[in-house]
Structures are given as C-alpha cells and as structure tokens.
Amino acid sequence: MKFNGKNISLGKNVKLGKNVRIGDNTVIYDNVEIADNSIICNNCIIGEPTKDYYTNKNYKNPKTKIGINSLIRSHSIIYASVETGSNFSTGHRVIIREKSKFGDYCMIGTMSDIQGYVKFGNYCRLHSSVHICQHSEIGNFVFIYPFVVFTNDPHPPSTVWKGPKIGNFTQIAVSSIINSGVKVGNNCLVAANSFIKTNMPDFTVFAGSPAKNISDIRTIKSKQISGMHYPWMKNFRKGMPWEKIGFDKWQKKKGNG
Amino acid sequence: MKFNGKNISLGKNVKLGKNVRIGDNTVIYDNVEIADNSIICNNCIIGEPTKDYYTNKNYKNPKTKIGINSLIRSHSIIYASVETGSNFSTGHRVIIREKSKFGDYCMIGTMSDIQGYVKFGNYCRLHSSVHICQHSEIGNFVFIYPFVVFTNDPHPPSTVWKGPKIGNFTQIAVSSIINSGVKVGNNCLVAANSFIKTNMPDFTVFAGSPAKNISDIRTIKSKQISGMHYPWMKNFRKGMPWEKIGFDKWQKKKGNG
Amino acid sequence: MKFNGKNISLGKNVKLGKNVRIGDNTVIYDNVEIADNSIICNNCIIGEPTKDYYTNKNYKNPKTKIGINSLIRSHSIIYASVETGSNFSTGHRVIIREKSKFGDYCMIGTMSDIQGYVKFGNYCRLHSSVHICQHSEIGNFVFIYPFVVFTNDPHPPSTVWKGPKIGNFTQIAVSSIINSGVKVGNNCLVAANSFIKTNMPDFTVFAGSPAKNISDIRTIKSKQISGMHYPWMKNFRKGMPWEKIGFDKWQKKKGNG
C-alpha cells in the first residue's frame, strides 16, 4: 500500500528517473531530481523549502538531488538544496536540512537530525537519533550511534560557529558529544558517553567526560575473532565495498594499500 | 476528527475485533490482527513491511497482533511480526520494529524507538525517547526514562550482538546507557546519567560512568512517606495491578509472597 | 504545495485570524483559536484532545490559543489547552502537551517534547530534541540545547513531582540533566553533559556529573570579541528585542538598567 499514487503532490520541474516509486501522501517540491530506481516511501517531504518561502514572494526553490538506488523511508523530510550520492538510505522521520551533501552509500537512521550545511563522505552510517550540527564535516566509513550530538558553538550563544571534523573509518559510540571545532582523526574510537573537547590523533581511543586518550585502538582484543578487533574493516564486511573480497584485497585493488 | 473513516488503507486479511476504531490516514498492511476495543489513532502504520518488501516479489507480510484494549497514538509505526499483549499503549511517533514481543499493559512513550527482536514482560513503562537495541530482554514492571539507550555491540562495528537483560521491578533513570550483554537484576535502580558496564545484583543502586554499586536500594529514604521508598511497589500504585489493594495483599493473593 | 486547502479538517468553534494559512492534511480540533498572520504547516495537529476523549462521551475540548505571527512547522502536535504568545515558532515534529503556556517569541526546535503543565517566559529557544518534564518553570531568554532533559521525580516512580525552575538569560548546553526541584538562577551556564542536582546561584557555571560550581560566568573569555563573552546579551543580538540598539540601550529604554 505504499505505492498507489494516492494523494501525491509534485511541484514544478520535478524530474523522476526510471523505476522511481513514490509513496502515498508524499510531497515533492519544485526542482527536485530523483535518480533511477529510487524509492520514496509514504508521507515524505522532498525539497522542503527554507524559511524564505513564507515571506519572500519571489522565493525560488533551489535544486535538490537524490542519487540512484536510494531508499527514503516514511515520514522523512529532506530540505531543498540537499544532494545525496547513490544508494542513499534513511530510516523513518529523518530530517535533513538545507545545504547538506552526502557521498555514496550513506545510511541515516530513524529520527536522526542533520541540521544542514554539512558534508558527508561515502559509506557513512548514522544509527537512530543522531544530531549533527551545522558546519560538520564527516569523512568516509564513519559510523555514529544513538544520541550522539555534534556541537558548533564554543560559548552558547555566539556567532562563531565551527563544526567538528571527523576522519575516515572512525566510530563514535552512543551518547557522546563532539565539541565545536574538534578534529577527530582517522581510525579512531570515541567510547560511549564521552565528551570530546580536544583533537583526537589517528588510531586513538578516547573515553570520559572530558574525554582522555585511553589507548591505541589496535590494542583492543576482539570478541569475534582471536586477535585484535581494530581496524574494524578486517572484521566487518556487511554492506561495505569489501564485502566479497575482504578489506585487504579491496584496498590493494584500489591502490590504497 | 480522529475517526471519520477518511483515507484509511486496509491490506488483505486484516482482522479487526469488536469496537476497534481506526483514525484517518492510517495504513494497515496485510495479515494484521487488532483485538477488541483497540484504538489506532490518525496517521499510524501497522504491519509496516520489512526491507524485503522492496526487492522480493514474493514477499509475504508476516502476522502482526495488537492485543485487546490497546491505544496506539498518532504517527506511530509498528512493523509486521510485532505482537503485543492486552492494554498496550503508545505515545506519538513511536517506532516498533520487527520481531518485538510485549506482555500485557505495556506503555511505550512518545518517540521511543524499539529496534526489533526484543522481548518485554508485563507492565513495562517506557517514557519518551527511549532507545532499545535488538536482542534486549526486559522483565515485568520495568520503567525506563527519557534518552536511555540499550546497546548490543561490544566493539562497534562487530557481528557479535548481545542485548542487555533487565530483571523485574527495575527502574532505569534518564540518559543512562546499558551496555551490551549486561544483566541488571530485579529491584535495581540505575541512577540518572549512568553508564552500566557490569552486571547489577538484585536490590542494588548503580551510579556514575562507568557506574558503580553505590548502595542497597532499600536504604533510600522516601520523599513521599516516612520510611523507605523502595521497593517502590509499596509506594506507587497508579495503573499497577495492585492499585486497589496494595502491593503486599496483591502479592499474597497471587501466591507470590 | 503547503497551502492548497487539501484534506484539512476543522473542528467546531475554530477561530482563524486574518491571513492565517493552514497546510494540507492538518487537523484542527474544537475550540482552537489561531491569531492573525500565523502559519500552520502540513500534517499538523492543533488542539489534540487528551486521553479522556477516548473514554468520556461528554468530553469537551478545552480552549487552545496560538498567538499572532506564529509559524508551526510540519508534523507538529499541539494539545488542547496550550496557549502560546505572539511570534511562536516550532521546528518539525514538535510535541507540546496540555496546560503548557508560552510567552512571546518562543522557538521550540524539531522533535522537542514538552510534556505539559509547564510555563515558559518570553524569547526562550529550545534547539532540537529537548525534553521538558511536567511542572517545569522557565524564565525569559533561556536557551536550551539538544538532548537536554528536565526531570521531576526524585525517586522514580513516585507521586511527588516537582519540576526544575530556570532563571532569566540562562544557557543549558547539550545532553545535560536538570534534576527534580532544582532552581537554576539568572545568567547561569550549564556546561555540556552536566547533571545538575543542586541549586545554581546567579552568574554561576556548573559542570560535571554531579555538576559543581566551576566559575563565575563573567570570567569566560569570548572567542568572538576581545573581552568577556557573558552576559551573552552584549555579544548576541539575532532575533532578540535588542537586535537593533544593543542590550545596554535596550535595557535602559525598558527601565531595567
């Protein structure tokens, strides 16, 4: 019952690719482009206009792009000017505000709240209820867990906004805070419930509030295999581009190794 | 204006009991059974299909059961294969994913997010914005407060998922984290803002991050009566099966005492 | 496509002021009054009845008032008996339960959850995902950031509910907890990730869990100007009544200085 063509509203200059399916009660505003094979479920809003819409008679909705093979689950709201890569997917009730850019294969969990003016790399996975502040910059293969919040204001309220910057392959566990302007390196682990106030070098584990460097990530024993768990890419393949051949081979193939 | 029969979609083999009321714009997918006197408010989705629905032509929606006298508030999404007991109720925008089972008289607060593959006993109460991970197991009379998160992955990301297990009569206060695989006993109190990384014996109070055993719950003085507050069942009756006769008499009557 | 008059439901005795616009699929229950120039976006519910509605045949919806120049963004739910001042605005999916009163120019962020029986002054700003418990009292110019939770039960569960009370010009940073019955003074700063268990005198900064008095707010150097950042009203003007003339002049003009 998702795809009956019931009560769908399409704005002007909406471009739908091949095999695109649109759920009931979904609204797509002007100048939205949805690429081939994508699915927009029920009750979504794509291309939600920004505040000017209410006050500026000459308001023109900026272009919005949803990449191929994407799946936007029900009740999600994606603002005008957002651009996603291919194979983008969301849970339910996701909010993605204006000027957000996503690479390929990103997953944004249920009720996550992307405040806009952010940049994501490829293969990022946000679990439910993650809050990403404006001006955040997030690398590739970054996983973020529930109730994590990124902040951008060193002394609230001010007008000196500076988002966090997160390196590749980094994991940020539940209920952690990443402070304004902090740089987290590649292959890091932010332990659950941490408050990150200082930069994190590559391969470090930080824990606590304020968080401290407690170990090298490569010293954490796996509960899954005999040996070390990190870099996690050797032990976790599901949905990753190295799913079939393993991380090492994939990396060599790509010429990164 | 909830129950005008407007824009309701019913799938195949939907069974509605006596006096069941369905709100406007609600969608009920195939093979859902809603027992007598239950109310499904506006804009809900009951029996939401899992991801296979989009890709498998032969997808068949599993059975979903909502118990008698239930109240599902607006905008809630309950996945196919969920089974609730009697007198189940939800706040608004609740999400309950697949393979979740609930006993009788459970209340799930607004925006709470049940990730699926979980089991709840009877008379559990989740306040708003609680996040319960997959493979959690929760006893009877367990109350959980806002922004609590259960986790199931000891070293994210891995494939060794193990949810927490919570005993009867336990209270888990706001913004706490229950770690993967942790067993919390009966009659425990998780203090607000705690990070539970080790098992909690019966009748203990844990606080801090990481949380430590700070006292016996039976030593906490009540602000409500002269004497001790816990076990709370002696001081709190509202909506409980001992509401009229008190906990002690109820327990004797049941033969538990 | 917000304002096509499509699938709007209006109850009895609904009063709409001049230039009020109502979005598609929005439901307005009995006895709601929306003042001039206000905008209610798509899929909102205004005047949501309380639980009695389901069981009491003689249920009468109490009066609900939305002040002039308000903007209620899509999917928000405002219960019957709520009263807002002028220029009230919400993000998406906000929930405001019964018996909540707001002064003028309040902004309530996306997914924030106001549990009812609360009182807000003027110019309060809640960011996304703030949880305000029943019986909270919040002054003027109070800003609250994501995942902050107010609690009202000293020993859960009990029946001795007492909400926090927050003074004017106070800032409460991300992921903090304000405990039951706590009084936070004027011009305070609750640092991120704090658990406030004791009263906070005026002009104090508290941090930690449990939080301690760590400094006088007037000693925090600004990253925005040379000099001190707080009281923030000297450094932050956007949307404030002193936007054009500055705080000092505004205060003198008002006779507060």
Side-chain angles (χ1 to χ4, degrees):
Chain A
M1 266 169 308
K2 288 193 167 88
F3 310 111
N4 309 304
K6 194 165 74 172
N7 197 24
I8 294 171
S9 299
L10 294 186
K12 292 175 191 163
N13 193 29
V14 169
K15 291 180 190 162
L16 303 181
K18 288 179 197 164
N19 304 317
V20 166
R21 287 183 282 172
I22 309 287
D24 295 352
N25 307 313
T26 278
V27 176
I28 301 181
Y29 281 92
D30 293 357
N31 306 315
V32 170
E33 198 173 317
I34 299 173
D36 297 354
N37 308 317
S38 287
I39 300 173
I40 314 292
C41 295
N42 291 355
N43 294 87
C44 288
I45 302 176
I46 312 292
E48 168 86 4
T50 54
K51 205 180 171 182
D52 286 354
Y53 174 87
Y54 302 108
T55 51
N56 179 354
K57 281 193 177 176
N58 301 314
Y59 176 82
K60 196 186 152 191
N61 218 29
K63 280 192 182 177
T64 307
K65 287 184 183 180
I66 306 293
I68 59 166
N69 302 322
S70 293
L71 171 58
I72 310 297
R73 284 199 179 73
S74 74
H75 299 87
S76 291
I77 301 174
I78 297 180
Y79 270 67
S81 76
V82 169
E83 291 183 30
T84 85
S86 71
N87 297 277
F88 184 72
S89 72
T90 77
H92 303 279
R93 310 190 209 293
V94 164
I95 293 187
I96 301 174
R97 282 186 43 195
E98 66 272 20
K99 306 279 183 196
S100 298
K101 281 195 181 180
F102 297 86
D104 297 330
Y105 288 92
C106 287
M107 296 171 64
I108 308 296
T110 288
M111 282 188 289
S112 280
D113 181 359
I114 313 296
Q115 288 276 303
Y117 297 88
V118 301
K119 202 177 159 183
F120 283 81
N122 301 315
Y123 287 93
C124 289
R125 289 194 184 173
L126 272 56
H127 210 289
S128 300
S129 298
V130 171
H131 182 96
I132 302 294
C133 67
Q134 292 193 354
H135 310 296
S136 300
E137 209 171 313
I138 294 166
N140 301 307
F141 303 100
V142 173
F143 289 24
I144 310 179
Y145 298 89
F147 300 133
V148 166
V149 55
F150 282 31
T151 72
N152 60 17
D153 191 347
H155 294 141
S158 79
T159 57
V160 200
W161 291 1
K162 212 173 169 183
K165 189 172 174 177
I166 313 294
N168 302 325
F169 303 113
T170 282
Q171 299 278 320
I172 304 177
V174 295
S175 303
S176 290
I177 302 168
I178 313 295
N179 222 19
S180 169
V182 161
K183 286 177 191 170
V184 176
N186 298 316
N187 283 290
C188 292
L189 172 61
V190 174
N193 214 25
S194 299
F195 181 10
I196 306 297
K197 300 181 81 166
T198 55
N199 294 345
M200 285 175 64
D202 293 352
F203 291 103
T204 54
V205 182
F206 274 53
S209 175
K212 289 175 188 164
N213 186 339
I214 61 161
S215 67
D216 185 301
I217 198 172
R218 291 162 294 194
T219 65
I220 298 177
K221 283 189 185 157
S222 184
K223 299 199 173 183
Q224 191 172 333
I225 55 158
S226 75
M228 300 303 157
H229 187 65
Y230 299 95
W232 58 267
M233 297 78 79
K234 307 195 176 200
N235 290 313
F236 186 91
R237 297 176 169 208
K238 204 189 165 193
M240 297 293 109
W242 54 84
E243 187 160 5
K244 283 179 187 164
I245 58 174
F247 183 68
D248 288 342
K249 281 190 186 166
W250 174 78
Q251 214 178 18
K252 277 180 199 158
K253 221 173 156 184
K254 277 198 73 175
N256 299 328
Chain B
M1 265 169 307
K2 288 197 167 84
F3 309 113
N4 307 304
K6 196 165 72 172
N7 195 26
I8 293 171
S9 300
L10 295 186
K12 290 174 192 166
N13 193 27
V14 168
K15 293 181 188 161
L16 303 182
K18 288 180 196 165
N19 303 318
V20 166
R21 288 183 280 172
I22 309 287
D24 296 352
N25 309 310
T26 278
V27 176
I28 300 182
Y29 281 92
D30 292 359
N31 306 317
V32 170
E33 199 174 318
I34 299 173
D36 297 353
N37 307 319
S38 288
I39 300 174
I40 315 292
C41 296
N42 292 355
N43 295 88
C44 288
I45 301 175
I46 312 293
E48 169 86 3
T50 54
K51 206 181 170 183
D52 285 354
Y53 173 87
Y54 302 108
T55 51
N56 179 356
K57 279 194 179 174
N58 300 314
Y59 176 82
K60 196 186 151 191
N61 219 27
K63 279 193 185 180
T64 307
K65 288 185 183 182
I66 306 294
I68 60 167
N69 302 324
S70 294
L71 170 59
I72 311 297
R73 284 199 178 75
S74 75
H75 299 87
S76 291
I77 300 174
I78 297 180
Y79 270 67
S81 77
V82 169
E83 292 183 30
T84 86
S86 72
N87 297 278
F88 183 72
S89 72
T90 76
H92 303 278
R93 310 191 209 293
V94 164
I95 292 187
I96 300 174
R97 283 186 42 197
E98 65 273 18
K99 306 279 184 195
S100 298
K101 281 195 183 183
F102 298 86
D104 297 329
Y105 289 92
C106 288
M107 297 171 63
I108 308 297
T110 288
M111 283 188 289
S112 279
D113 182 359
I114 313 296
Q115 287 277 303
Y117 298 87
V118 300
K119 201 177 158 184
F120 283 81
N122 301 314
Y123 287 94
C124 290
R125 288 194 185 174
L126 273 55
H127 210 289
S128 300
S129 297
V130 171
H131 181 97
I132 302 294
C133 67
Q134 292 193 355
H135 310 296
S136 300
E137 208 171 314
I138 294 166
N140 301 306
F141 303 101
V142 174
F143 289 25
I144 310 180
Y145 298 89
F147 300 133
V148 166
V149 56
F150 281 32
T151 71
N152 60 17
D153 192 348
H155 293 145
S158 78
T159 57
V160 200
W161 292 2
K162 211 172 169 185
K165 190 171 174 178
I166 313 294
N168 302 323
F169 304 114
T170 283
Q171 299 278 321
I172 304 178
V174 295
S175 302
S176 290
I177 301 168
I178 312 295
N179 223 18
S180 169
V182 161
K183 287 178 190 170
V184 176
N186 298 315
N187 282 290
C188 291
L189 172 61
V190 174
N193 213 25
S194 299
F195 181 10
I196 305 297
K197 300 181 81 166
T198 56
N199 293 346
M200 287 175 63
D202 292 353
F203 290 105
T204 54
V205 182
F206 274 52
S209 175
K212 290 176 188 166
N213 185 339
I214 61 162
S215 66
D216 186 302
I217 198 172
R218 291 161 294 194
T219 64
I220 298 177
K221 284 189 182 159
S222 184
K223 299 200 172 182
Q224 191 173 333
I225 55 157
S226 75
M228 299 303 157
H229 187 64
Y230 298 95
W232 58 265
M233 299 77 80
K234 307 196 173 197
N235 291 313
F236 186 92
R237 296 174 170 211
K238 205 188 166 194
M240 297 293 109
W242 54 83
E243 185 160 5
K244 283 179 184 161
I245 59 175
F247 183 69
D248 288 343
K249 282 191 186 166
W250 174 80
Q251 214 177 17
K252 278 180 197 157
K253 222 173 157 185
K254 278 200 71 174
N256 299 329
Chain C
M1 264 167 310
K2 288 194 165 88
F3 309 111
N4 307 304
K6 194 164 75 173
N7 196 25
I8 294 171
S9 299
L10 294 187
K12 292 175 192 165
N13 194 27
V14 168
K15 292 181 188 162
L16 303 181
K18 289 180 196 164
N19 305 316
V20 166
R21 287 183 282 173
I22 309 287
D24 296 353
N25 308 311
T26 278
V27 177
I28 300 181
Y29 281 92
D30 292 358
N31 305 317
V32 170
E33 199 174 318
I34 299 173
D36 297 353
N37 309 316
S38 286
I39 300 173
I40 314 293
C41 295
N42 291 355
N43 295 86
C44 288
I45 302 176
I46 312 292
E48 168 86 5
T50 54
K51 204 181 171 182
D52 286 355
Y53 173 88
Y54 302 107
T55 51
N56 179 355
K57 280 194 178 175
N58 300 314
Y59 176 82
K60 196 186 152 192
N61 218 27
K63 279 193 183 177
T64 307
K65 287 185 182 181
I66 306 294
I68 59 167
N69 303 321
S70 293
L71 171 59
I72 310 297
R73 283 199 180 75
S74 75
H75 300 86
S76 291
I77 300 174
I78 297 180
Y79 270 67
S81 77
V82 170
E83 291 184 29
T84 85
S86 71
N87 298 278
F88 184 72
S89 72
T90 76
H92 303 279
R93 311 191 209 291
V94 163
I95 293 187
I96 301 174
R97 284 188 39 197
E98 66 271 20
K99 306 281 183 193
S100 298
K101 281 196 181 182
F102 297 86
D104 297 329
Y105 289 93
C106 287
M107 296 170 65
I108 308 298
T110 287
M111 283 187 290
S112 279
D113 181 359
I114 313 296
Q115 288 275 304
Y117 297 88
V118 299
K119 201 177 159 185
F120 282 81
N122 302 315
Y123 287 95
C124 289
R125 288 194 185 173
L126 271 55
H127 210 289
S128 299
S129 297
V130 171
H131 181 96
I132 302 293
C133 67
Q134 292 193 354
H135 310 296
S136 300
E137 208 172 313
I138 294 166
N140 302 306
F141 304 100
V142 174
F143 289 24
I144 309 179
Y145 298 89
F147 300 133
V148 167
V149 55
F150 281 32
T151 72
N152 60 18
D153 191 347
H155 294 143
S158 79
T159 57
V160 201
W161 292 0
K162 211 173 168 185
K165 189 172 175 179
I166 313 295
N168 302 324
F169 303 114
T170 282
Q171 299 280 320
I172 303 176
V174 294
S175 302
S176 290
I177 301 167
I178 312 294
N179 223 18
S180 170
V182 161
K183 287 178 189 168
V184 176
N186 299 316
N187 283 291
C188 291
L189 173 61
V190 173
N193 213 25
S194 299
F195 181 11
I196 306 296
K197 299 182 81 166
T198 55
N199 294 345
M200 287 177 62
D202 294 352
F203 290 104
T204 54
V205 181
F206 274 53
S209 174
K212 290 176 186 164
N213 186 339
I214 61 162
S215 67
D216 185 304
I217 199 173
R218 292 162 293 196
T219 64
I220 297 177
K221 282 188 186 160
S222 183
K223 298 200 173 183
Q224 190 172 336
I225 56 158
S226 74
M228 300 303 158
H229 187 66
Y230 298 95
W232 57 266
M233 298 78 80
K234 307 195 174 198
N235 290 315
F236 186 92
R237 296 175 168 207
K238 203 187 165 195
M240 296 292 109
W242 53 83
E243 186 160 5
K244 283 180 184 163
I245 60 175
F247 184 68
D248 288 344
K249 281 190 186 167
W250 174 78
Q251 213 177 17
K252 277 180 196 156
K253 221 171 155 186
K254 279 199 72 174
N256 298 329

